[in-house]
């Protein structure tokens, strides 16, 4: 190739590169504005989702606080009921102890009464035997006195 032709090809090549680059830049600015719009939309969507998540977190936090309140209330009720039941158990235990001691005391008294009853029965038997013997003696005396 001749140098003139080479210069012409070089010039055409430069022209081709320049036009290609210009078209690329033009398409790039068009694509970049589309990309910017798409990114803006995605940003708005992400911001809306973030806003909704924050709102849900706030609602969840309030709900959790209510659940904690309810649990604490029930816990306090359960503790009060437990305390009352323990007091009832202690009172019943004290009453059982008292009743056991009364039972023991009454059993001791019963043994004493049984012993005293036995003594009196023995005394009555003795006296009735003695009374029979006395009657026999009285009869003998009467027979002796009336016969004489």
């Amino acid at each position: 190739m001749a140098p003139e032709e080479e210069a012409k090809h070089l010039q055409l090549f430069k022209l081709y590169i320049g036009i290609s680059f210009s078209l690329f830049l033009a398409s790039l600015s068009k694509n970049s504005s589309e990309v910017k719009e798409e990114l803006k939309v995605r940003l708005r969507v992400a911001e809306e989702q973030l806003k909704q998540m924050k709102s849900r977190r706030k609602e969840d936090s309030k709900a959790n606080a209510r659940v904690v309140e309810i649990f604490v209330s029930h816990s306090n009720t359960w503790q009060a009921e437990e305390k009352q039941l323990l007091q009832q158990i202690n009172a019943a235990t004290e009453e059982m102890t008292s009743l056991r001691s009364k039972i023991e005391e009454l059993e001791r008294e019963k043994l004493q009464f049984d012993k005293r009853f036995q003594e009196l029965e023995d005394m009555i038997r003795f006296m009735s035997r003695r009374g029979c013997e006395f009657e026999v003696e009285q009869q003998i005396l009467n027979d002796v006195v009336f016969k004489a």
Side-chain angles (χ1 to χ4, degrees):
M1 275 209 223
E4 278 181 21
E5 257 183 62
E6 229 178 88
K8 207 176 192 185
H9 280 304
L10 188 59
Q11 197 175 11
L12 281 173
F13 182 70
K14 286 181 183 178
L15 184 64
Y16 175 76
I17 294 284
I19 291 174
S20 296
F21 189 68
S22 296
L23 289 174
F24 173 73
L25 286 178
S27 72
L28 184 65
S29 68
K30 186 178 181 184
N31 284 343
S32 72
S33 66
E34 287 175 5
V35 169
K36 280 182 185 179
E37 285 302 315
E38 185 182 333
L39 288 175
K40 283 181 183 179
V41 168
R42 289 173 69 186
L43 178 63
R44 283 189 209 112
V45 168
E47 286 175 341
E48 183 61 31
Q49 288 176 346
L50 181 63
K51 189 176 179 181
Q52 289 175 356
M53 286 176 63
K54 283 182 180 180
S55 174
R56 281 190 213 126
R57 271 189 73 204
K58 191 174 183 180
E59 290 172 9
D60 288 348
S61 175
K62 286 179 184 178
N64 287 343
R66 278 184 250 141
V67 167
V68 167
E69 254 181 56
I70 291 168
F71 182 78
V72 166
S73 171
H74 286 162
S75 178
N76 289 340
T77 303
W78 295 331
Q79 286 176 345
E81 189 175 336
E82 180 184 22
K83 185 177 179 182
Q84 183 182 13
L85 290 172
L86 286 173
Q87 288 174 345
Q88 288 176 355
I89 289 170
N90 288 337
T93 303
E94 289 176 10
E95 185 177 358
M96 284 173 35
T97 303
S98 170
L99 291 173
R100 281 189 182 118
S101 68
K102 276 189 175 184
I103 288 171
E104 288 174 3
E105 182 182 334
L106 290 173
E107 285 175 346
R108 280 193 302 273
E109 286 180 13
K110 183 184 179 296
L111 286 174
Q112 288 175 349
F113 285 134
D114 287 346
K115 186 178 177 183
R116 178 72 177 140
F117 180 76
Q118 190 64 41
E119 288 174 357
L120 290 174
E121 245 184 7
D122 290 345
M123 191 182 293
I124 290 171
R125 269 193 234 114
F126 176 74
M127 294 295 269
S128 66
R129 267 187 297 164
R130 197 65 185 133
C132 286
E133 288 175 9
F134 181 70
E135 284 179 13
V136 170
E137 286 176 11
Q138 198 69 356
Q139 198 64 327
I140 295 172
L141 278 176
N142 281 340
D143 286 343
V144 171
V145 171
F146 288 120
K147 285 190 180 184

